[in-house]
Amino acid sequence: MKLKHLLSGIIIVTFFSTIASAQLMQKKETYTRADTLRGMLTPLRTCYDINYYHLDVKFDLDKKYISGSNLFKFTAKQNFTKLQFDLYANLKVDKVVYQGKDLPFTREFNAVFVTFPKAIAKGSKDEFTVYYSGNPTVAKRAPWDGGVVFTTDSLGKPWVATACQGAGASIWWPTKDHQADEVDSALISISVPAGLQDVSNGRLRKTTTLPDGYTRFDWFVSNPINNYDIAANIGNYTHMEDSYDGEKGKLSIDYWVLTYNAEKAKAQFGRDVKRMLKAFENWFGPYPWYEDGYKLVETPHLGMEHQSAVAYGNKYKNGYLGRDLSGTGLGLTWDFIIVHESGHEWFGNNITSKDIADMWIHESFTNYSESLFIETYSNKQAGLEYIQGLRKIIRNDEPIIGPYNVNKEGSGDMYPKGANMLSIVRTIINDDAKWRSILRGLNQTFYHQTVTTPQIVNYINKQAGINFTPIFDQYLRYTQIPQLDLKFENGKVYAKWTADVKGFTMPIKMRKKDGEYYFIKVTSDYAPVALPGLTKENLEVDTFEYYIKVKME
């Protein structure tokens, strides 16, 4: 997640994204050639499919300087002689090597274009290596901004981490920087000054003492991974091991924390990690990365969903740095960063949006997963109360879905508003076993895949047997929530929806005061409510499970 959207109270308002949806004719933004190069899947990107990376980087901590290489192994999707990879312009491409020879390349903004001496044939497998160096962007407020964090722990020892969601992995290493193409596997080799450790994604294959006073740590990821998830975490770490008997067998659990925080980690992680895994495997299906294991890594920034190496910086506090974002008190009995960032292993890492404009797929489901965690260890009502409590931080300022092809996310409402939207969908389905099967089915059907909004919505529609498209469109593509208009004429109640989506329809729960709720079909045209005896005084609309406006005449 991009955590700038999760600060509580007044602060959350300050840091919400203000990117508008150009396609929906909201506040118009001007996008540049650089935005298009970063965000669009042009033929220079779609011509090749990334199969494997070997990222090999040395960190000079005193100079805040990095140098190294990345091997690109790929399959040609069409005949081509030229392709694009990405690396921020402040980092130097020293050379691009293909079959032992340097290739010509050009740069435009943060894009690099490589020309091969002869056409690469469709279907063939090939490779090239990029050598690079320079001072990477220093993140000033990670993870709210992207880059490398260079700091020290409380004992004055170096503590370094990468965090680059949104900004892109090319802020610190050369890569095909688009979420639509995940590398199938990767070897991550990070060299650090002797006495420090690097913790990256996957499993540690080898540690090598180098002759120049550095130590190289080789980590291997055997599953597909988003490039913004690939991380370096450098510090004076201690390592603790555990395991969990999960749906696919024994899952290894590893904790890498600063040496002086070992006892705190044992208590905090020991309390929350296994119960998180139990809850989310129940709701979403098996943890998606048994082969690579589950890790929590203490970081100098608040947190990030770095696949199989979840970044943790919540200072061993309950809630979100000791606060409950819902204001209900229900968020203060568990560690927010452990639960939320680990929830991304299913939504965000297992299922990844092709375009960051669809980042709601990551954040809405994961924000909603917090309520499922509460429900698992309390009850359904508590989970609903948590979701309802999040409404106070919804702004309804911009569409949740951002503009496509320019690497721009939508409104930060994708967190609390998106969670409320999913809760409404569950309410309408009115079958918790079916809802659970849909959530598990999403993770099975789109296992290790990149997806679009229509794919997710169509799957839910098909499995539920209900057309939720108008509901998803209203909550995701427009700023305003639907308004239920009620009027009373000649002893009858008439209802209709006012919404941006043409022909909007959504069943709503109504009742006579203190009676039983009934689902009432309501469309965009006034129609009588088929509940006898309703009056202005005794009519109740379910505004607890539904995030809507109600207007009575």
Side-chain angles (χ1 to χ4, degrees):
M1 71 175 175
K2 202 169 184 181
L3 285 158
K4 68 179 179 182
H5 301 312
L6 286 177
L7 294 173
S8 64
I10 296 174
I11 300 176
I12 193 169
V13 173
T14 305
F15 289 102
F16 265 114
S17 172
T18 58
I19 299 300
S21 178
Q23 293 93 335
L24 299 175
M25 301 181 67
Q26 300 289 334
K27 176 183 174 184
K28 291 186 177 180
E29 299 285 340
T30 300
Y31 298 106
T32 66
R33 165 76 172 165
D35 293 324
T36 301
L37 286 171
R38 174 70 177 84
M40 184 170 284
L41 280 173
T42 65
L44 295 181
R45 281 173 153 174
T46 59
C47 65
Y48 71 112
D49 175 39
I50 284 292
N51 305 136
Y52 173 82
Y53 287 132
H54 178 197
L55 175 62
D56 187 356
V57 185
K58 177 182 178 180
F59 279 74
D60 186 327
L61 304 187
D62 293 332
K63 296 179 180 179
K64 297 180 180 179
Y65 184 88
I66 59 177
S67 58
S69 64
N70 189 28
L71 168 67
F72 290 63
K73 290 189 175 183
F74 65 88
T75 301
K77 305 300 289 183
Q78 62 190 59
N79 297 335
F80 70 90
T81 58
K82 187 176 182 180
L83 59 73
Q84 174 188 336
F85 70 85
D86 305 278
L87 183 68
Y88 270 56
N90 56 297
L91 294 171
K92 179 185 177 184
V93 177
D94 297 314
K95 58 182 178 179
V96 180
V97 176
Y98 174 69
Q99 295 183 349
K101 296 181 179 179
D102 290 2
L103 287 180
F105 63 88
T106 59
R107 304 197 69 170
E108 185 178 4
F109 300 105
N110 298 326
V112 183
F113 303 97
V114 178
T115 303
F116 293 85
K118 61 180 181 179
I120 307 294
K122 179 180 179 180
S124 64
K125 294 184 179 296
D126 219 325
E127 62 185 63
F128 62 93
T129 303
V130 179
Y131 294 84
Y132 77 110
S133 58
N135 295 99
T137 300
V138 175
K140 297 177 181 178
R141 297 190 67 252
W144 296 281
D145 63 342
V148 182
V149 181
F150 292 95
T151 188
T152 57
D153 63 21
S154 62
L155 299 180
K157 296 186 177 182
W159 197 13
V160 177
T162 59
C164 57
Q165 185 183 16
S170 56
I171 203 168
W172 71 280
W173 58 281
T175 177
K176 182 181 180 179
D177 208 352
H178 199 286
Q179 287 184 182
D181 188 8
E182 295 184 339
V183 69
D184 300 323
S185 62
L187 178 62
I188 306 161
S189 299
I190 305 294
S191 297
V192 302
L196 299 174
Q197 296 87 39
D198 168 72
V199 185
S200 293
N201 316 77
R203 297 192 182 277
L204 183 63
R205 276 191 166 178
K206 186 170 63 171
T207 301
T208 305
T209 300
L210 303 176
D212 59 357
Y214 277 70
T215 305
R216 186 179 67 233
F217 295 84
D218 293 332
W219 296 85
F220 184 70
V221 181
S222 62
N223 286 297
I225 185 169
N226 342 338
N227 50 19
Y228 80 77
D229 272 349
I230 290 178
N233 301 288
I234 302 165
N236 184 31
Y237 287 119
T238 190
H239 177 214
M240 297 179 287
E241 296 179 85
D242 202 347
S243 63
Y244 174 72
D245 292 323
E247 290 193 11
K248 288 178 65 175
K250 191 172 291 293
L251 172 65
S252 65
I253 297 175
D254 294 273
Y255 305 138
W256 293 82
V257 300
L258 297 178
T259 53
Y260 51 81
N261 284 331
E263 292 305 313
K264 290 181 181 178
K266 284 180 183 178
Q268 193 84 343
F269 297 176
R271 183 195 66 190
D272 283 351
V273 167
K274 289 185 181 180
R275 63 179 184 151
M276 172 278 299
L277 288 167
K278 180 179 180 180
F280 289 166
E281 285 209 329
N282 173 67
W283 283 103
F284 304 144
Y287 177 73
W289 320 106
Y290 270 74
E291 300 83 359
D292 293 323
Y294 173 88
K295 290 197 298 293
L296 272 181
V297 187
E298 188 172 3
T299 58
H301 61 82
L302 186 56
M304 185 62 68
E305 64 264 26
H306 296 150
Q307 182 177 310
S308 70
V310 175
Y312 175 85
N314 204 39
K315 302 183 185 301
Y316 305 98
K317 295 181 178 181
N318 288 349
Y320 179 97
L321 289 173
R323 292 169 286 170
D324 176 9
L325 296 178
S326 76
T328 63
L330 292 164
L332 292 176
T333 59
W334 44 279
D335 190 309
F336 177 92
I337 293 299
I338 292 175
V339 171
H340 181 95
E341 300 302 352
S342 299
H344 276 303
E345 293 282 47
W346 285 265
F347 291 98
N349 298 344
N350 185 39
I351 302 173
T352 305
S353 66
K354 289 183 182 293
D355 193 302
I356 200 172
D358 283 334
M359 203 167 84
W360 75 272
I361 296 168
H362 301 199
E363 302 302 349
S364 297
F365 280 98
T366 305
N367 203 176
Y368 177 70
S369 77
E370 298 159 24
S371 73
L372 295 179
F373 177 83
I374 291 171
E375 177 176 338
T376 300
Y377 296 103
S378 183
N379 53 55
K380 184 178 179 180
Q381 179 68 16
L384 287 169
E385 288 174 3
Y386 181 83
I387 289 290
Q388 198 273 346
L390 295 174
R391 293 177 192 171
K392 64 182 172 55
I393 56 176
I394 297 173
R395 296 191 64 191
N396 291 317
D397 59 340
E398 307 287 356
I400 287 175
I401 291 179
Y404 293 101
N405 300 319
V406 288
N407 195 53
K408 298 291 183 182
E409 63 195 67
S411 168
D413 279 351
M414 71 180 77
Y415 295 83
K417 186 176 179 180
N420 272 271
M421 173 190 69
L422 292 172
S423 185
I424 291 170
V425 170
R426 177 185 183 179
T427 294
I428 294 170
I429 291 173
N430 198 30
D431 183 334
D432 289 345
K434 179 178 284 189
W435 178 236
R436 176 173 171 265
S437 72
I438 288 172
L439 295 175
R440 290 177 65 96
L442 282 167
N443 279 279
Q444 182 179 17
T445 301
F446 301 110
Y447 185 72
H448 293 181
Q449 293 181 35
T450 60
V451 300
T452 63
T453 289
Q455 285 178 282
I456 297 298
V457 173
N458 290 340
Y459 179 86
I460 294 173
N461 289 347
K462 182 178 180 180
Q463 298 304 312
I466 300 171
N467 180 19
F468 286 107
T469 301
I471 297 172
F472 280 102
D473 283 348
Q474 183 63 42
Y475 283 89
L476 295 175
R477 301 182 187 277
Y478 295 93
T479 59
Q480 296 305 309
I481 58 177
Q483 176 175 291
L484 180 65
D485 295 322
L486 298 167
K487 66 180 181 179
F488 299 80
E489 293 181 351
N490 303 319
K492 290 186 176 181
V493 182
Y494 294 83
K496 77 173 181 69
W497 289 111
T498 295
D500 299 283
V501 173
K502 187 176 180 180
F504 181 82
T505 180
M506 179 168 69
I508 183 70
K509 290 169 71 174
M510 297 187 197
R511 67 179 180 181
K512 284 195 291 186
K513 190 174 183 179
D514 298 326
E516 182 181 353
Y517 273 118
Y518 292 91
F519 283 98
I520 305 298
K521 181 180 179 181
V522 180
T523 69
S524 55
D525 297 315
Y526 272 118
V529 176
L531 281 178
L534 289 178
T535 66
K536 265 190 178 183
E537 290 71 31
N538 70 15
L539 170 60
E540 290 187 348
V541 177
D542 185 358
T543 55
F544 176 70
E545 294 189 56
Y546 285 82
Y547 176 50
I548 57 172
K549 296 178 183 177
V550 178
K551 180 181 178 182
M552 284 192 182
E553 295 181 3

